[in-house]
Amino acid sequence: MTVQEDYCCRICCSTQYTHYCHIKDETTRNTGLEFDYVRCAGCSTLSLFPLPTLEQLTKANETLLGITRPGSSFDKRYLPEFRDILRNDYLLTFADLGVEITPPFPGANCLDFGCAVGSLLDLMAEAGWETYGIDVSRQLTDLADKQRHRIHVGKIDTLPADWGPFDLVVTIEVLEHLPDPREVLTKLVELLKPGGIIITETPQVGLLSELYGDKWRVLVGPDHIHLMTQATQFRLLSELNCRIERWISFGSGCTTGLTPPHIKKAFDDLVKRLGLGDFLAIKAVKGDREWPLAEGQSQ
């Protein structure tokens, strides 16, 4: 067990940790940067320590910009075909969580935190929601339909004053990228109406991460800064006055193209049924009520 004066877990504030693994970025943005993951003694969160510096994040972002040239594999992720894949993934996650894609009443609004190119917003707008999105990347949000959605570029504390409260807040594969996920999640819950729903999806530390060890596909620096266990994610939402209604875990770590399709499907189905996947999606309700009533609607 190690105590270091400048270490303080951004989730539970513990100052004790154990070293987990050393990684080098050679597979994602290929920056050549090296990082260490540590495990918090208080909540078992895996975190990059020390946290990436502004210079490292800038270098990583510049590398990302360099691979988004037309025709690159990264650029192709935002073609219509890939958006269809994302659309199906969103529909499956909503169905697994028991969330109706149809808004509960006319004028219901939703916020996608980390909206990127707006794929989820497109789906929600088609279903009848009033759609709002926020992302720090102007490059990605420039590809979104800004005529259809209200989109803000910046951090959460720069949101327009007239945004919210919201009936639904969604954040998919974003929390792991944040230097302070607890602080951001707190602000997202504050933006919810009483009885509103928040959906989170982020990797989970658990059986698969321990089996894969330092080869776990989610250990990616400097992108993935904090990786929480299921228990920590549940506790964090509960502390924010959110009642967890349903959750689903998925993902076996079997990579498409490297694993025979029938084997990948078998393992993906198995970990989903057992709740052991390395990603976790949660539906939680703020306070005790279900969907809030629309203005003027009676009991």
Short mmCIF file of all heavy atoms in Angstrom, two decimals, residues 81-149:
data_model
loop_
_atom_site.label_atom_id
_atom_site.label_comp_id
_atom_site.label_asym_id
_atom_site.label_seq_id
_atom_site.Cartn_x
_atom_site.Cartn_y
_atom_site.Cartn_z
N GLU A 81 -22.99 4.50 -42.49
CA GLU A 81 -23.06 3.09 -42.12
C GLU A 81 -22.69 2.90 -40.64
O GLU A 81 -23.30 2.11 -39.94
CB GLU A 81 -22.13 2.24 -42.98
CG GLU A 81 -22.29 2.43 -44.48
CD GLU A 81 -21.41 3.55 -45.02
OE1 GLU A 81 -20.25 3.27 -45.34
OE2 GLU A 81 -21.90 4.69 -45.10
N PHE A 82 -21.67 3.64 -40.17
CA PHE A 82 -21.26 3.50 -38.79
C PHE A 82 -22.30 4.10 -37.86
O PHE A 82 -22.54 3.60 -36.77
CB PHE A 82 -19.89 4.15 -38.55
CG PHE A 82 -19.32 3.85 -37.20
CD1 PHE A 82 -18.74 2.61 -36.94
CD2 PHE A 82 -19.38 4.77 -36.17
CE1 PHE A 82 -18.22 2.32 -35.68
CE2 PHE A 82 -18.87 4.49 -34.92
CZ PHE A 82 -18.29 3.26 -34.68
N ARG A 83 -22.94 5.17 -38.31
CA ARG A 83 -23.99 5.76 -37.48
C ARG A 83 -25.15 4.78 -37.32
O ARG A 83 -25.80 4.76 -36.27
CB ARG A 83 -24.48 7.07 -38.10
CG ARG A 83 -23.42 8.18 -38.07
CD ARG A 83 -24.05 9.53 -38.26
NE ARG A 83 -23.05 10.57 -38.38
CZ ARG A 83 -23.32 11.87 -38.23
NH1 ARG A 83 -24.55 12.26 -37.98
NH2 ARG A 83 -22.37 12.77 -38.34
N ASP A 84 -25.41 3.98 -38.33
CA ASP A 84 -26.46 2.96 -38.23
C ASP A 84 -26.09 1.93 -37.16
O ASP A 84 -26.95 1.46 -36.41
CB ASP A 84 -26.69 2.27 -39.57
CG ASP A 84 -27.41 3.16 -40.58
OD1 ASP A 84 -28.03 4.15 -40.13
OD2 ASP A 84 -27.33 2.89 -41.78
N ILE A 85 -24.80 1.58 -37.09
CA ILE A 85 -24.34 0.63 -36.08
C ILE A 85 -24.55 1.23 -34.69
O ILE A 85 -25.05 0.58 -33.76
CB ILE A 85 -22.87 0.26 -36.30
CG1 ILE A 85 -22.71 -0.51 -37.61
CG2 ILE A 85 -22.33 -0.56 -35.13
CD1 ILE A 85 -21.27 -0.80 -37.98
N LEU A 86 -24.16 2.51 -34.53
CA LEU A 86 -24.35 3.19 -33.26
C LEU A 86 -25.82 3.26 -32.89
O LEU A 86 -26.20 3.04 -31.74
CB LEU A 86 -23.77 4.60 -33.33
CG LEU A 86 -22.25 4.75 -33.28
CD1 LEU A 86 -21.86 6.21 -33.43
CD2 LEU A 86 -21.70 4.18 -31.99
N ARG A 87 -26.65 3.55 -33.88
CA ARG A 87 -28.09 3.64 -33.65
C ARG A 87 -28.63 2.32 -33.09
O ARG A 87 -29.39 2.32 -32.11
CB ARG A 87 -28.78 3.99 -34.98
CG ARG A 87 -30.29 4.08 -34.91
CD ARG A 87 -30.85 4.17 -36.33
NE ARG A 87 -32.27 4.38 -36.33
CZ ARG A 87 -32.86 5.56 -36.43
NH1 ARG A 87 -32.13 6.64 -36.53
NH2 ARG A 87 -34.18 5.67 -36.41
N ASN A 88 -28.23 1.22 -33.68
CA ASN A 88 -28.69 -0.09 -33.20
C ASN A 88 -28.17 -0.38 -31.79
O ASN A 88 -28.88 -0.97 -30.97
CB ASN A 88 -28.25 -1.18 -34.17
CG ASN A 88 -28.96 -1.11 -35.51
OD1 ASN A 88 -30.08 -0.60 -35.60
ND2 ASN A 88 -28.31 -1.60 -36.55
N ASP A 89 -26.93 0.03 -31.52
CA ASP A 89 -26.38 -0.16 -30.17
C ASP A 89 -27.18 0.63 -29.14
O ASP A 89 -27.47 0.13 -28.04
CB ASP A 89 -24.91 0.28 -30.14
CG ASP A 89 -23.99 -0.71 -30.84
OD1 ASP A 89 -24.43 -1.85 -31.11
OD2 ASP A 89 -22.83 -0.34 -31.13
N TYR A 90 -27.52 1.87 -29.48
CA TYR A 90 -28.31 2.70 -28.55
C TYR A 90 -29.67 2.08 -28.29
O TYR A 90 -30.14 2.02 -27.15
CB TYR A 90 -28.50 4.11 -29.11
CG TYR A 90 -27.22 4.90 -29.28
CD1 TYR A 90 -27.05 5.77 -30.35
CD2 TYR A 90 -26.17 4.80 -28.36
CE1 TYR A 90 -25.89 6.51 -30.51
CE2 TYR A 90 -25.00 5.52 -28.52
CZ TYR A 90 -24.87 6.38 -29.60
OH TYR A 90 -23.72 7.10 -29.74
N LEU A 91 -30.33 1.62 -29.36
CA LEU A 91 -31.65 1.01 -29.21
C LEU A 91 -31.59 -0.23 -28.32
O LEU A 91 -32.47 -0.46 -27.49
CB LEU A 91 -32.23 0.65 -30.58
CG LEU A 91 -32.70 1.83 -31.44
CD1 LEU A 91 -33.05 1.35 -32.85
CD2 LEU A 91 -33.92 2.51 -30.81
N LEU A 92 -30.53 -1.03 -28.50
CA LEU A 92 -30.37 -2.24 -27.70
C LEU A 92 -30.16 -1.88 -26.23
O LEU A 92 -30.75 -2.50 -25.33
CB LEU A 92 -29.21 -3.07 -28.22
CG LEU A 92 -28.90 -4.37 -27.47
CD1 LEU A 92 -30.12 -5.29 -27.49
CD2 LEU A 92 -27.69 -5.06 -28.08
N THR A 93 -29.31 -0.88 -25.97
CA THR A 93 -29.04 -0.47 -24.59
C THR A 93 -30.31 0.05 -23.93
O THR A 93 -30.62 -0.30 -22.79
CB THR A 93 -27.95 0.60 -24.55
OG1 THR A 93 -26.73 0.05 -25.06
CG2 THR A 93 -27.71 1.09 -23.13
N PHE A 94 -31.07 0.89 -24.65
CA PHE A 94 -32.31 1.41 -24.09
C PHE A 94 -33.28 0.28 -23.79
O PHE A 94 -33.94 0.26 -22.74
CB PHE A 94 -32.95 2.42 -25.06
CG PHE A 94 -32.44 3.82 -24.89
CD1 PHE A 94 -31.08 4.08 -24.92
CD2 PHE A 94 -33.31 4.88 -24.73
CE1 PHE A 94 -30.60 5.37 -24.77
CE2 PHE A 94 -32.84 6.17 -24.56
CZ PHE A 94 -31.49 6.43 -24.58
N ALA A 95 -33.39 -0.68 -24.70
CA ALA A 95 -34.29 -1.81 -24.49
C ALA A 95 -33.85 -2.64 -23.28
O ALA A 95 -34.67 -3.05 -22.45
CB ALA A 95 -34.36 -2.68 -25.74
N ASP A 96 -32.55 -2.90 -23.17
CA ASP A 96 -32.02 -3.68 -22.05
C ASP A 96 -32.30 -2.98 -20.71
O ASP A 96 -32.51 -3.63 -19.69
CB ASP A 96 -30.52 -3.89 -22.20
CG ASP A 96 -30.17 -4.96 -23.23
OD1 ASP A 96 -31.04 -5.80 -23.53
OD2 ASP A 96 -29.04 -4.94 -23.74
N LEU A 97 -32.30 -1.65 -20.73
CA LEU A 97 -32.51 -0.88 -19.51
C LEU A 97 -33.99 -0.59 -19.25
O LEU A 97 -34.34 0.03 -18.23
CB LEU A 97 -31.72 0.43 -19.55
CG LEU A 97 -30.20 0.30 -19.56
CD1 LEU A 97 -29.55 1.67 -19.70
CD2 LEU A 97 -29.71 -0.39 -18.29
N GLY A 98 -34.85 -1.00 -20.17
CA GLY A 98 -36.27 -0.76 -19.99
C GLY A 98 -36.66 0.69 -20.15
O GLY A 98 -37.63 1.16 -19.53
N VAL A 99 -35.93 1.42 -21.00
CA VAL A 99 -36.22 2.83 -21.24
C VAL A 99 -36.94 2.96 -22.57
O VAL A 99 -36.43 2.51 -23.61
CB VAL A 99 -34.93 3.67 -21.26
CG1 VAL A 99 -35.24 5.13 -21.59
CG2 VAL A 99 -34.22 3.56 -19.92
N GLU A 100 -38.11 3.57 -22.55
CA GLU A 100 -38.86 3.79 -23.77
C GLU A 100 -38.19 4.87 -24.61
O GLU A 100 -37.85 5.94 -24.09
CB GLU A 100 -40.30 4.20 -23.46
CG GLU A 100 -41.15 3.10 -22.84
CD GLU A 100 -41.49 2.01 -23.84
OE1 GLU A 100 -41.41 2.28 -25.05
OE2 GLU A 100 -41.83 0.90 -23.41
N ILE A 101 -37.99 4.59 -25.89
CA ILE A 101 -37.40 5.59 -26.77
C ILE A 101 -38.38 6.71 -27.06
O ILE A 101 -38.00 7.85 -27.35
CB ILE A 101 -36.92 4.93 -28.09
CG1 ILE A 101 -35.97 5.87 -28.86
CG2 ILE A 101 -38.09 4.51 -28.95
CD1 ILE A 101 -34.64 6.07 -28.18
N THR A 102 -39.69 6.44 -26.92
CA THR A 102 -40.72 7.45 -27.11
C THR A 102 -40.77 8.35 -25.87
O THR A 102 -40.77 7.84 -24.74
CB THR A 102 -42.10 6.80 -27.31
OG1 THR A 102 -42.02 5.89 -28.40
CG2 THR A 102 -43.16 7.84 -27.57
N PRO A 103 -40.79 9.67 -26.03
CA PRO A 103 -40.83 10.55 -24.87
C PRO A 103 -42.09 10.34 -24.04
O PRO A 103 -43.14 9.99 -24.58
CB PRO A 103 -40.77 11.96 -25.49
CG PRO A 103 -41.19 11.78 -26.90
CD PRO A 103 -40.77 10.41 -27.30
N PRO A 104 -42.01 10.54 -22.71
CA PRO A 104 -43.15 10.28 -21.83
C PRO A 104 -44.31 11.26 -22.00
O PRO A 104 -45.43 10.95 -21.61
CB PRO A 104 -42.54 10.37 -20.43
CG PRO A 104 -41.38 11.29 -20.60
CD PRO A 104 -40.83 10.99 -21.96
N PHE A 105 -44.03 12.42 -22.56
CA PHE A 105 -45.07 13.41 -22.82
C PHE A 105 -44.53 14.41 -23.84
O PHE A 105 -43.30 14.53 -24.03
CB PHE A 105 -45.49 14.13 -21.52
CG PHE A 105 -44.33 14.66 -20.72
CD1 PHE A 105 -43.69 15.83 -21.06
CD2 PHE A 105 -43.89 13.96 -19.60
CE1 PHE A 105 -42.62 16.32 -20.32
CE2 PHE A 105 -42.82 14.44 -18.84
CZ PHE A 105 -42.19 15.62 -19.21
N PRO A 106 -45.40 15.14 -24.54
CA PRO A 106 -44.94 16.12 -25.53
C PRO A 106 -44.04 17.18 -24.87
O PRO A 106 -44.34 17.66 -23.78
CB PRO A 106 -46.24 16.74 -26.04
CG PRO A 106 -47.28 15.70 -25.78
CD PRO A 106 -46.87 15.02 -24.50
N GLY A 107 -42.96 17.49 -25.55
CA GLY A 107 -42.05 18.51 -25.04
C GLY A 107 -40.99 17.99 -24.10
O GLY A 107 -40.17 18.77 -23.59
N ALA A 108 -40.96 16.67 -23.83
CA ALA A 108 -39.91 16.12 -22.97
C ALA A 108 -38.55 16.36 -23.61
O ALA A 108 -38.39 16.26 -24.82
CB ALA A 108 -40.15 14.63 -22.75
N ASN A 109 -37.57 16.70 -22.78
CA ASN A 109 -36.25 17.04 -23.32
C ASN A 109 -35.17 16.13 -22.79
O ASN A 109 -35.29 15.54 -21.72
CB ASN A 109 -35.91 18.51 -23.02
CG ASN A 109 -35.90 18.81 -21.52
OD1 ASN A 109 -36.03 17.92 -20.68
ND2 ASN A 109 -35.73 20.07 -21.18
N CYS A 110 -34.11 15.98 -23.57
CA CYS A 110 -33.00 15.13 -23.16
C CYS A 110 -31.68 15.81 -23.49
O CYS A 110 -31.58 16.60 -24.44
CB CYS A 110 -33.07 13.76 -23.82
SG CYS A 110 -32.80 13.75 -25.60
N LEU A 111 -30.67 15.51 -22.69
CA LEU A 111 -29.32 16.03 -22.87
C LEU A 111 -28.38 14.86 -23.08
O LEU A 111 -28.36 13.92 -22.28
CB LEU A 111 -28.88 16.83 -21.64
CG LEU A 111 -27.40 17.25 -21.61
CD1 LEU A 111 -27.12 18.32 -22.66
CD2 LEU A 111 -27.01 17.75 -20.21
N ASP A 112 -27.58 14.92 -24.15
CA ASP A 112 -26.53 13.93 -24.39
C ASP A 112 -25.20 14.58 -24.04
O ASP A 112 -24.73 15.48 -24.75
CB ASP A 112 -26.55 13.46 -25.84
CG ASP A 112 -25.49 12.39 -26.13
OD1 ASP A 112 -24.86 11.90 -25.16
OD2 ASP A 112 -25.30 12.05 -27.30
N PHE A 113 -24.61 14.15 -22.92
CA PHE A 113 -23.33 14.69 -22.49
C PHE A 113 -22.22 13.88 -23.16
O PHE A 113 -22.03 12.71 -22.90
CB PHE A 113 -23.19 14.59 -20.97
CG PHE A 113 -21.86 15.08 -20.46
CD1 PHE A 113 -21.57 16.42 -20.44
CD2 PHE A 113 -20.90 14.18 -20.01
CE1 PHE A 113 -20.34 16.88 -19.98
CE2 PHE A 113 -19.68 14.61 -19.55
CZ PHE A 113 -19.40 15.98 -19.54
N GLY A 114 -21.48 14.55 -24.06
CA GLY A 114 -20.48 13.88 -24.89
C GLY A 114 -21.12 13.43 -26.18
O GLY A 114 -20.95 12.29 -26.63
N CYS A 115 -21.84 14.34 -26.83
CA CYS A 115 -22.69 13.98 -27.98
C CYS A 115 -21.92 13.71 -29.26
O CYS A 115 -22.47 13.12 -30.20
CB CYS A 115 -23.72 15.08 -28.23
SG CYS A 115 -23.01 16.67 -28.72
N ALA A 116 -20.65 14.14 -29.34
CA ALA A 116 -19.83 13.90 -30.54
C ALA A 116 -20.56 14.38 -31.81
O ALA A 116 -20.93 15.54 -31.89
CB ALA A 116 -19.42 12.45 -30.64
N VAL A 117 -20.80 13.48 -32.75
CA VAL A 117 -21.41 13.87 -34.03
C VAL A 117 -22.93 13.86 -33.98
O VAL A 117 -23.58 14.10 -35.00
CB VAL A 117 -20.92 12.95 -35.17
CG1 VAL A 117 -19.42 13.05 -35.33
CG2 VAL A 117 -21.35 11.51 -34.94
N GLY A 118 -23.50 13.55 -32.82
CA GLY A 118 -24.95 13.66 -32.66
C GLY A 118 -25.75 12.43 -33.07
O GLY A 118 -26.95 12.54 -33.30
N SER A 119 -25.12 11.27 -33.12
CA SER A 119 -25.84 10.06 -33.54
C SER A 119 -27.00 9.74 -32.61
O SER A 119 -28.10 9.41 -33.06
CB SER A 119 -24.88 8.86 -33.60
OG SER A 119 -23.85 9.09 -34.54
N LEU A 120 -26.77 9.83 -31.31
CA LEU A 120 -27.86 9.56 -30.35
C LEU A 120 -28.92 10.65 -30.44
O LEU A 120 -30.13 10.37 -30.36
CB LEU A 120 -27.31 9.46 -28.93
CG LEU A 120 -28.36 9.27 -27.83
CD1 LEU A 120 -29.15 7.98 -28.06
CD2 LEU A 120 -27.72 9.28 -26.45
N LEU A 121 -28.50 11.89 -30.61
CA LEU A 121 -29.46 12.99 -30.70
C LEU A 121 -30.38 12.82 -31.89
O LEU A 121 -31.58 13.11 -31.81
CB LEU A 121 -28.72 14.33 -30.79
CG LEU A 121 -27.91 14.74 -29.55
CD1 LEU A 121 -27.17 16.05 -29.82
CD2 LEU A 121 -28.81 14.86 -28.34
N ASP A 122 -29.83 12.34 -33.01
CA ASP A 122 -30.67 12.09 -34.19
C ASP A 122 -31.77 11.09 -33.86
O ASP A 122 -32.94 11.28 -34.22
CB ASP A 122 -29.82 11.56 -35.35
CG ASP A 122 -28.86 12.60 -35.91
OD1 ASP A 122 -29.08 13.80 -35.67
OD2 ASP A 122 -27.88 12.20 -36.58
N LEU A 123 -31.39 10.01 -33.19
CA LEU A 123 -32.34 8.97 -32.83
C LEU A 123 -33.42 9.52 -31.90
O LEU A 123 -34.62 9.26 -32.08
CB LEU A 123 -31.61 7.81 -32.16
CG LEU A 123 -32.45 6.64 -31.67
CD1 LEU A 123 -33.13 5.95 -32.83
CD2 LEU A 123 -31.57 5.65 -30.90
N MET A 124 -33.02 10.31 -30.91
CA MET A 124 -33.97 10.84 -29.94
C MET A 124 -34.90 11.86 -30.58
O MET A 124 -36.10 11.91 -30.28
CB MET A 124 -33.22 11.45 -28.76
CG MET A 124 -32.29 10.50 -28.03
SD MET A 124 -33.10 9.02 -27.41
CE MET A 124 -33.92 9.69 -25.96
N ALA A 125 -34.36 12.68 -31.47
CA ALA A 125 -35.19 13.68 -32.15
C ALA A 125 -36.25 13.01 -33.02
O ALA A 125 -37.41 13.45 -33.07
CB ALA A 125 -34.32 14.62 -32.99
N GLU A 126 -35.87 11.94 -33.69
CA GLU A 126 -36.82 11.21 -34.52
C GLU A 126 -37.96 10.63 -33.68
O GLU A 126 -39.10 10.51 -34.15
CB GLU A 126 -36.11 10.08 -35.28
CG GLU A 126 -35.19 10.57 -36.38
CD GLU A 126 -34.34 9.44 -36.95
OE1 GLU A 126 -34.66 8.26 -36.66
OE2 GLU A 126 -33.38 9.73 -37.68
N ALA A 127 -37.64 10.27 -32.44
CA ALA A 127 -38.65 9.71 -31.55
C ALA A 127 -39.56 10.77 -30.95
O ALA A 127 -40.60 10.45 -30.38
CB ALA A 127 -37.98 8.91 -30.44
N GLY A 128 -39.16 12.05 -31.06
CA GLY A 128 -40.02 13.12 -30.59
C GLY A 128 -39.48 13.94 -29.43
O GLY A 128 -40.18 14.82 -28.91
N TRP A 129 -38.24 13.68 -29.02
CA TRP A 129 -37.64 14.44 -27.92
C TRP A 129 -37.15 15.81 -28.39
O TRP A 129 -36.77 15.98 -29.55
CB TRP A 129 -36.45 13.68 -27.34
CG TRP A 129 -36.77 12.43 -26.63
CD1 TRP A 129 -36.99 11.20 -27.20
CD2 TRP A 129 -36.92 12.24 -25.22
NE1 TRP A 129 -37.25 10.26 -26.23
CE2 TRP A 129 -37.22 10.87 -25.00
CE3 TRP A 129 -36.82 13.09 -24.13
CZ2 TRP A 129 -37.42 10.34 -23.73
CZ3 TRP A 129 -37.01 12.56 -22.86
CH2 TRP A 129 -37.32 11.21 -22.67
N GLU A 130 -37.12 16.78 -27.48
CA GLU A 130 -36.36 18.01 -27.68
C GLU A 130 -34.93 17.70 -27.29
O GLU A 130 -34.68 17.25 -26.17
CB GLU A 130 -36.93 19.15 -26.83
CG GLU A 130 -38.32 19.60 -27.25
CD GLU A 130 -38.81 20.78 -26.44
OE1 GLU A 130 -38.04 21.30 -25.59
OE2 GLU A 130 -39.96 21.19 -26.64
N THR A 131 -34.00 17.92 -28.20
CA THR A 131 -32.65 17.39 -28.02
C THR A 131 -31.60 18.46 -27.79
O THR A 131 -31.54 19.48 -28.49
CB THR A 131 -32.26 16.55 -29.25
OG1 THR A 131 -32.57 17.28 -30.43
CG2 THR A 131 -33.02 15.24 -29.26
N TYR A 132 -30.75 18.20 -26.81
CA TYR A 132 -29.64 19.07 -26.43
C TYR A 132 -28.37 18.21 -26.34
O TYR A 132 -28.42 17.08 -25.85
CB TYR A 132 -29.88 19.72 -25.08
CG TYR A 132 -31.07 20.66 -25.03
CD1 TYR A 132 -32.37 20.16 -25.02
CD2 TYR A 132 -30.89 22.04 -24.96
CE1 TYR A 132 -33.46 21.01 -24.95
CE2 TYR A 132 -31.98 22.89 -24.89
CZ TYR A 132 -33.26 22.37 -24.89
OH TYR A 132 -34.34 23.22 -24.83
N GLY A 133 -27.25 18.77 -26.79
CA GLY A 133 -26.00 18.02 -26.72
C GLY A 133 -24.86 18.91 -26.31
O GLY A 133 -24.86 20.12 -26.59
N ILE A 134 -23.87 18.33 -25.65
CA ILE A 134 -22.67 19.06 -25.27
C ILE A 134 -21.46 18.18 -25.50
O ILE A 134 -21.50 16.97 -25.24
CB ILE A 134 -22.72 19.53 -23.80
CG1 ILE A 134 -21.40 20.22 -23.40
CG2 ILE A 134 -23.05 18.39 -22.86
CD1 ILE A 134 -21.43 20.84 -22.02
N ASP A 135 -20.38 18.78 -26.00
CA ASP A 135 -19.13 18.06 -26.23
C ASP A 135 -18.00 19.08 -26.27
O ASP A 135 -18.22 20.23 -26.65
CB ASP A 135 -19.19 17.28 -27.55
CG ASP A 135 -18.17 16.14 -27.60
OD1 ASP A 135 -16.96 16.43 -27.72
OD2 ASP A 135 -18.60 14.98 -27.52
N VAL A 136 -16.80 18.65 -25.88
CA VAL A 136 -15.66 19.57 -25.89
C VAL A 136 -15.03 19.67 -27.27
O VAL A 136 -14.21 20.56 -27.52
CB VAL A 136 -14.59 19.14 -24.87
CG1 VAL A 136 -15.12 19.25 -23.46
CG2 VAL A 136 -14.10 17.74 -25.17
N SER A 137 -15.40 18.77 -28.20
CA SER A 137 -14.75 18.73 -29.51
C SER A 137 -15.57 19.49 -30.56
O SER A 137 -16.64 19.05 -30.96
CB SER A 137 -14.56 17.29 -29.97
OG SER A 137 -14.10 17.25 -31.31
N ARG A 138 -15.02 20.59 -31.01
CA ARG A 138 -15.69 21.32 -32.10
C ARG A 138 -15.59 20.54 -33.40
O ARG A 138 -16.49 20.57 -34.25
CB ARG A 138 -15.07 22.71 -32.27
CG ARG A 138 -15.80 23.59 -33.28
CD ARG A 138 -15.30 25.02 -33.24
NE ARG A 138 -15.51 25.63 -31.95
CZ ARG A 138 -16.67 26.16 -31.54
NH1 ARG A 138 -17.73 26.11 -32.34
NH2 ARG A 138 -16.78 26.73 -30.36
N GLN A 139 -14.50 19.81 -33.56
CA GLN A 139 -14.30 19.02 -34.77
C GLN A 139 -15.42 18.00 -34.95
O GLN A 139 -15.96 17.82 -36.04
CB GLN A 139 -12.95 18.30 -34.72
CG GLN A 139 -12.67 17.45 -35.95
CD GLN A 139 -11.50 16.51 -35.74
OE1 GLN A 139 -11.20 16.15 -34.59
NE2 GLN A 139 -10.83 16.13 -36.80
N LEU A 140 -15.82 17.34 -33.85
CA LEU A 140 -16.88 16.33 -33.93
C LEU A 140 -18.26 16.98 -34.00
O LEU A 140 -19.11 16.55 -34.79
CB LEU A 140 -16.80 15.38 -32.73
CG LEU A 140 -15.55 14.52 -32.65
CD1 LEU A 140 -15.61 13.61 -31.43
CD2 LEU A 140 -15.37 13.68 -33.91
N THR A 141 -18.49 17.99 -33.19
CA THR A 141 -19.82 18.61 -33.19
C THR A 141 -20.11 19.34 -34.50
O THR A 141 -21.28 19.54 -34.85
CB THR A 141 -19.97 19.60 -32.02
OG1 THR A 141 -18.91 20.56 -32.06
CG2 THR A 141 -19.93 18.85 -30.69
N ASP A 142 -19.08 19.71 -35.24
CA ASP A 142 -19.30 20.31 -36.56
C ASP A 142 -19.96 19.33 -37.53
O ASP A 142 -20.53 19.73 -38.54
CB ASP A 142 -17.98 20.81 -37.16
CG ASP A 142 -17.56 22.16 -36.58
OD1 ASP A 142 -18.39 22.80 -35.92
OD2 ASP A 142 -16.39 22.55 -36.79
N LEU A 143 -19.88 18.03 -37.22
CA LEU A 143 -20.50 17.01 -38.05
C LEU A 143 -21.93 16.71 -37.62
O LEU A 143 -22.62 15.91 -38.25
CB LEU A 143 -19.67 15.72 -38.01
CG LEU A 143 -18.23 15.82 -38.50
CD1 LEU A 143 -17.51 14.49 -38.29
CD2 LEU A 143 -18.18 16.22 -39.96
N ALA A 144 -22.38 17.33 -36.53
CA ALA A 144 -23.73 17.11 -36.03
C ALA A 144 -24.72 18.04 -36.72
O ALA A 144 -24.34 19.06 -37.31
CB ALA A 144 -23.77 17.31 -34.52
N ASP A 145 -26.00 17.68 -36.64
CA ASP A 145 -27.07 18.48 -37.25
C ASP A 145 -27.48 19.59 -36.29
O ASP A 145 -28.38 19.42 -35.45
CB ASP A 145 -28.27 17.57 -37.57
CG ASP A 145 -29.35 18.28 -38.37
OD1 ASP A 145 -29.30 19.52 -38.47
OD2 ASP A 145 -30.26 17.59 -38.87
N LYS A 146 -26.85 20.74 -36.41
CA LYS A 146 -27.11 21.84 -35.49
C LYS A 146 -28.42 22.58 -35.80
O LYS A 146 -28.84 23.43 -35.02
CB LYS A 146 -25.93 22.81 -35.50
CG LYS A 146 -24.65 22.18 -34.96
CD LYS A 146 -23.51 23.16 -34.90
CE LYS A 146 -22.26 22.51 -34.33
NZ LYS A 146 -21.10 23.43 -34.28
N GLN A 147 -29.03 22.27 -36.91
CA GLN A 147 -30.35 22.82 -37.20
C GLN A 147 -31.42 22.03 -36.43
O GLN A 147 -32.48 22.56 -36.12
CB GLN A 147 -30.64 22.76 -38.70
CG GLN A 147 -29.67 23.55 -39.56
CD GLN A 147 -29.67 25.04 -39.21
OE1 GLN A 147 -30.73 25.64 -39.04
NE2 GLN A 147 -28.48 25.61 -39.10
N ARG A 148 -31.12 20.79 -36.16
CA ARG A 148 -32.08 19.90 -35.52
C ARG A 148 -31.93 19.88 -34.00
O ARG A 148 -32.90 19.70 -33.27
CB ARG A 148 -31.88 18.49 -36.07
CG ARG A 148 -33.00 17.52 -35.81
CD ARG A 148 -32.63 16.19 -36.45
NE ARG A 148 -33.77 15.33 -36.65
CZ ARG A 148 -33.71 14.10 -37.13
NH1 ARG A 148 -32.51 13.60 -37.46
NH2 ARG A 148 -34.79 13.37 -37.28
N HIS A 149 -30.69 20.05 -33.52
CA HIS A 149 -30.42 19.96 -32.09
C HIS A 149 -29.76 21.24 -31.60
O HIS A 149 -29.09 21.95 -32.36
CB HIS A 149 -29.46 18.80 -31.79
CG HIS A 149 -29.72 17.56 -32.60
ND1 HIS A 149 -30.87 16.83 -32.49
CD2 HIS A 149 -28.95 16.92 -33.54
CE1 HIS A 149 -30.82 15.80 -33.33
NE2 HIS A 149 -29.66 15.84 -33.98
#
